[in-house]
Amino acid sequence: MTQYLARTALSHRICTGLSRRRLGALIGELAGPWMASEAGRLHKRRGHERLRAAGAGPNHELVFTDRMIATLVILRFQLPHAALALFYDVDRSTITRAVHEIRPLLAARGFVVPGQPDLRLRTLADVFAYAAAKGVELRIDGTEVQVRRPRANKPGRRTFISGKRRQNTKKATVITDGKGRTLWTGAFRPGRMHDQTALKTEGIWDLFEQFPGVRAKVDAGYLGLARDFPNQVEAPPKKPNKDATPEELAVWERARHQQSSERICVEHGNAEHKQWRPLQRWIGRREYYDEIHSAIAGLVSDRAAER
């Protein structure tokens, strides 16, 4: 298979998860940063300015467009790098090098502001500033993905064991708006760490104090956050005692169902992320997971922002 045929077939939306229109826009967006990082890498390797004119020397086996397509296909289906190398008729290491060049660029893009595609949110502070300016009520939830178990006799081996799933996982926090559009994904941590503890380390307590007009809905995992900010954070109502009357139970059930219905959009946002195979179960190195999750969430936010 020639590289042209591989590019034609693999650039289909089924393979990349993006329409060709959005794929073209993404290539145009990241071509400049990739060329700048490549020039910096070569300058660092040489230790001086280039001696030959621009364009001289050997060409890349894969042009930038093919590198982008190969990276997206791997993010979409978690295919072995050797499989993509066969399609492009190159060595496996060429695909691996391309993925390690493109993936950080995708992860650093941030998340689209709905209705303003030129603006992107990259930090939790950006999300709170946007929510305060636009009056957006946030939805906050945690998600976890099974990862490879650390090798035996390694320190901290139990760090990744999730108390909920009883598996080795990594967790992330996802924030969406009321329509389930991803605004931020981060606070990556081992599966043993509680969702609320992760947000504490991200400084969310300080942000709620700085932006008193921001409102959020959360699940029962963030009861402490709702307790400290009762006028800003809404958690599920507390279940009545065992001796509660049927009327009290009925009132609690209706309130719980109403809060769940208003918060369910963040679960739908998580489900969009997990349509990409690496976020169903990550079988690669754990140290790459944070970057991969950020890259996929940013791509999903591009499509969700158009709703």
Side-chain angles (χ1 to χ4, degrees), residues 182-222:
T182 301
L183 301 179
W184 184 77
T185 297
F188 302 107
R189 68 275 187 190
R192 196 175 183 86
M193 183 182 293
H194 196 276
D195 294 344
Q196 187 169 264
T197 303
L199 281 186
K200 278 187 177 181
T201 62
E202 292 291 324
I204 196 169
W205 260 252
D206 295 335
L207 289 172
F208 271 115
E209 292 175 352
Q210 293 174 23
F211 298 94
V214 174
R215 303 288 185 270
K217 283 185 169 61
V218 298
D219 63 9
Y222 300 94

Side-chain angles (χ1 to χ4, degrees), residues 155-203:
R157 194 179 188 213
R158 298 185 60 189
T159 304
F160 293 91
I161 299 178
S162 168
K164 179 179 179 180
R165 297 184 59 177
R166 305 297 181 186
Q167 295 174 335
N168 289 268
T169 66
K170 287 206 73 173
K171 292 181 177 179
T173 299
V174 178
I175 299 181
T176 71
D177 61 7
K179 295 184 178 179
R181 297 175 294 197
T182 301
L183 301 179
W184 184 77
T185 297
F188 302 107
R189 68 275 187 190
R192 196 175 183 86
M193 183 182 293
H194 196 276
D195 294 344
Q196 187 169 264
T197 303
L199 281 186
K200 278 187 177 181
T201 62
E202 292 291 324

Side-chain angles (χ1 to χ4, degrees), residues 10 70 73-74 78-97 99:
L10 295 176
V73 172
I74 289 172
Q78 203 167 193
L79 288 178
H81 294 187
L84 270 296
L86 179 64
F87 294 152
Y88 279 104
D89 193 24
V90 296
D91 189 76
R92 181 201 56 79
S93 61
T94 302
I95 299 295
T96 300
R97 185 164 56 251
V99 171

Side-chain angles (χ1 to χ4, degrees), residues 137 139 176-180 217-219 234-237 252-268:
E137 187 176 54
R139 307 296 194 272
T176 71
D177 61 7
K179 295 184 178 179
K217 283 185 169 61
V218 298
D219 63 9
E234 180 185 327
W252 167 77
E253 181 61 29
R254 285 195 298 270
R256 185 198 63 79
H257 186 271
Q258 178 65 26
Q259 199 270 351
S260 177
S261 298
E262 296 173 353
R263 190 189 55 80
I264 196 65
C265 54
V266 70
E267 303 286 357
H268 296 162

Side-chain angles (χ1 to χ4, degrees), residues 75 78 143-146 270 272-282 289 292-294 296-297 300:
L75 288 177
Q78 203 167 193
T143 183
E144 56 185 328
V145 175
Q146 185 176 353
N270 281 333
E272 282 190 277
H273 298 172
K274 293 188 177 183
Q275 292 175 2
W276 296 62
R277 179 59 181 163
L279 299 190
Q280 297 172 19
R281 180 178 180 181
W282 172 237
Y289 175 81
I292 287 169
H293 197 137
S294 297
I296 291 174
V300 171

